[in-house]
Amino acid sequence: MTLTEMRYIVSLARERHFGRAAEKCHVSQPTLSVALKKVEERLGVLLFERSAAEVRLTPIGEEVARQSEKVLNEAQRVEEIAQRGKDPFTGPLRLGVIYTIGPYLLPRLVPALHQAVPHMHLYLQENFTHVLAESLKRGELDVIVVAQPFDEPGIVTQPVYDEPFRMLVPAAHPWAERKSVDAGELKGEELLVLGQGNCFRDQVVAACPRLTEPGGLERSYEGGSLETIRLMVASGTGVAVLPASAVEVAPPDPSLARVIPFKAPEPSRRIVLAWRVTFPRPQAIDAVRAAILQCPPPGVKVL
């Protein structure tokens, strides 16, 4: 079986749809379908159950897909090993960043990194932590920027900065003139939070323990992004807990919203770089970290 055929199997196993799998593999749907049919005929087993509604792996197909993914990862490892004899900055670096960091870090990181290593091009991806983690483990990304806790087998992490949280309240809110606020006071407020599955939502709840009590999030509303939540606060919809960079990179109009620090110990998150322990270009990781430390997002504490 060829590596190309294995890529087809793995892609269809992930997508469960011939059209999407073909698109991921950059081939036409008939090409992928015919190739997989030939693989099944050559192996003498059925890998996929096909119907008009869905594509489903057979039990033997599950095993073949898992083994194919292992082989593809090892094949990529061969390519990575070959890079060791070359300039570690020659090839592109595939960098992933979670949604709540990207808009505030990347506009500073990209120019700084380009100035330091102009011939190392960046491929950037913003996504949720669990999606970036899977892409990193599969070798589709080289390094990711995420928030702790983050613990994955075979992955190395290195802290880059701590980021305190800030309260953002409408200008007409009773807290608007306060110098600080206690995290325990959030229960009962009309709190704007990100949707389920976003790690920053979980960090906000963890930093404000009373939100985990019965009814703690009863008056909460969900926003799709930090910038959407900023606008909702400015319109008077409610209050929000945001990372410092999200409010300090472009401070709000004081006639619409006010930023309030938390009382000590202020809640915060630790941001780390994460990469595969086998990644052969540690110098590229060092360059990314140096660029972040040179031009960190506003409001953070570099480590």
Side-chain angles (χ1 to χ4, degrees), residues 194-251:
L194 291 171
Q196 294 282 354
N198 195 297
C199 64
F200 186 70
R201 174 196 175 102
D202 300 333
Q203 291 159 5
V204 169
V205 173
C208 309
R210 293 191 64 186
L211 296 179
T212 62
E213 299 174 1
L217 287 172
E218 187 175 332
R219 301 181 65 190
S220 67
Y221 300 89
E222 292 187 357
S225 69
L226 295 183
E227 292 307 302
T228 299
I229 287 176
R230 276 173 53 111
L231 294 172
M232 291 170 70
V233 172
S235 74
T237 302
V239 304
V241 179
L242 299 177
S245 59
V247 292
E248 296 193 20
V249 70

Side-chain angles (χ1 to χ4, degrees), residues 100 104 108 161-168 200 226-227 230 241-252 259-262 266-269 271 297-301:
T100 58
Y104 318 109
R108 296 166 177 266
Y161 60 80
D162 287 335
E163 182 168 31
F165 297 167
R166 298 282 185 258
M167 279 299 306
L168 186 67
F200 186 70
L226 295 183
E227 292 307 302
R230 276 173 53 111
V241 179
L242 299 177
S245 59
V247 292
E248 296 193 20
V249 70
V259 179
I260 310 173
F262 280 95
E266 60 183 355
S268 65
R269 62 178 180 174
I271 306 304
V300 308
K301 301 172 183 177

Side-chain angles (χ1 to χ4, degrees), residues 21 46 49 51 68 78 110 117 130 158 265:
L46 190 66
E49 296 180 28
S51 70
S68 295
V78 172
V110 171
V117 281
H130 71 277
Q158 184 178 37

Side-chain angles (χ1 to χ4, degrees), residues 169-216:
V169 304
H173 193 277
W175 295 353
E177 300 303 323
R178 290 177 58 169
K179 300 299 182 182
S180 62
V181 63
D182 189 276
E185 298 179 78
L186 287 176
K187 184 178 179 181
E189 288 291 321
E190 293 185 348
L191 183 65
L192 305 175
V193 295
L194 291 171
Q196 294 282 354
N198 195 297
C199 64
F200 186 70
R201 174 196 175 102
D202 300 333
Q203 291 159 5
V204 169
V205 173
C208 309
R210 293 191 64 186
L211 296 179
T212 62
E213 299 174 1

Side-chain angles (χ1 to χ4, degrees), residues 273-297:
L273 289 172
W275 65 95
R276 295 182 305 282
V277 68
T278 56
F279 184 61
R281 300 163 60 197
Q283 302 93 329
I285 306 295
D286 292 341
V288 172
R289 186 173 190 275
I292 294 175
L293 299 184
Q294 176 187 343
C295 301

Side-chain angles (χ1 to χ4, degrees), residues 111-138:
L113 193 58
H114 181 71
Q115 183 174 11
V117 281
H119 54 293
M120 185 174 76
H121 300 161
L122 285 178
Y123 291 134
L124 301 173
Q125 180 186 146
E126 284 187 285
N127 219 312
F128 296 110
T129 299
H130 71 277
V131 177
L132 296 179
E134 286 304 312
S135 295
L136 181 65
K137 288 186 288 186
R138 291 198 297 259

